Amino acid sequence: MNRFVKTAARIALVASLAAGLAGCGVNTIPTQDEATKAAWAEVQNQYQRRADLVPNLVATVKGYAAQEKGVLVEVTEARASATQVKVDASTITDPAQFQQYSAAQDKLSGVLGRLMMIQENYPDLKSNQNFMALQSQLEGTENRITIARRDYNETAQKYNTTLRTFPSILWAKTVYSSQKPAQLFQATAAAQAAPTVSFDPAPPASAPAPAQ
């Protein structure tokens, strides 16, 4: 009987300790860490979706605007660069790797924007069903990327705050001392500058100066 009582008391003690630790936030840091990694995985998923669409887009444009070879080459190279950057869960806590990945994706965004502008100069391309479908999918993907990056930043910010605020900072400095803050996506320099919009007609080309 005494053995039963002692066993029951030990079980009760362990249970109370577990409940106490859970209540004081010992599980908060790993929980938010996993949530941040999941949000990061979704960002990668959306970037990969865009990369998968690019070859078909380039092939479609090439048939209608072969003379735009320079832009097509840039898009292909930017896609290759964006997909060759090696990333994993540790990337979100490594500033250099995170910046490299973000810069490669931003470069692809820029050249894709130039590629989309080509349609204005080629009416046949503008009415091509394949191109229009790909354009629509890319626009949808860009929206998904924006949402995924926003959700990631919100999750990472919450996680970073937990690492620095009381009482969870006590666990961050002891049990989870190896945990590092997550990096955040930031707007590019080009995105921070307001675009210039002008409806004025272009000035006429100046006549060449007469020969002396």
Side-chain angles (χ1 to χ4, degrees):
M1 183 66 179
N2 290 336
R3 181 179 298 177
F4 175 78
V5 173
K6 290 179 179 180
T7 301
R10 289 173 182 172
I11 294 174
L13 178 61
V14 171
S16 63
L17 287 174
L21 288 173
C24 66
V26 69
N27 291 325
T28 301
I29 291 176
T31 298
Q32 293 183 2
D33 181 33
E34 291 303 318
T36 302
K37 291 175 181 176
W40 169 245
E42 180 59 19
V43 171
Q44 291 180 265
N45 177 49
Q46 295 305 330
Y47 276 136
Q48 184 61 51
R49 184 176 188 273
R50 178 174 68 175
D52 291 343
L53 290 171
V54 169
N56 289 333
L57 180 68
V58 169
T60 301
V61 174
K62 189 181 294 184
Y64 285 84
Q67 58 268 51
E68 303 289 353
K69 183 179 179 180
V71 176
L72 296 174
V73 170
E74 284 188 58
V75 171
T76 301
E77 291 178 346
R79 177 192 180 274
S81 176
T83 54
Q84 286 172 3
V85 176
K86 301 301 181 183
V87 293
D88 54 31
S90 67
T91 302
I92 58 178
T93 57
D94 186 319
Q97 288 186 17
F98 190 91
Q99 179 59 34
Q100 182 185 16
Y101 181 71
S102 181
Q105 297 296 341
D106 288 341
K107 182 178 180 180
L108 179 55
S109 295
V111 293
L112 275 176
R114 290 174 54 195
L115 182 62
M116 289 304 184
M117 292 176 63
I118 288 177
Q119 65 167 310
E120 298 299 329
N121 299 325
Y122 300 91
D124 291 340
L125 174 61
K126 195 172 181 179
S127 62
N128 177 269
Q129 294 300 314
N130 288 336
F131 179 83
M132 298 304 292
L134 287 166
Q135 182 185 44
S136 177
Q137 290 184 60
L138 277 171
E139 288 174 350
T141 299
E142 291 295 336
N143 290 334
R144 291 185 179 93
I145 288 172
T146 299
I147 293 172
R149 285 173 52 144
R150 181 201 65 193
D151 291 347
Y152 166 79
N153 274 355
E154 290 178 352
T155 305
Q157 183 179 32
K158 183 177 180 180
Y159 169 64
N160 290 347
T161 301
T162 297
L163 291 179
R164 298 179 58 188
T165 54
F166 186 85
S168 52
I169 191 174
L170 299 177
W171 299 114
K173 295 295 185 181
T174 54
V175 179
Y176 305 115
S177 59
S178 63
Q179 297 294 114
K180 299 178 181 179
Q183 299 296 305
L184 301 179
F185 281 105
Q186 298 180 352
T188 62
Q192 295 179 38
T196 302
V197 180
S198 175
F199 296 99
D200 296 331
S206 57
Q212 297 293 331

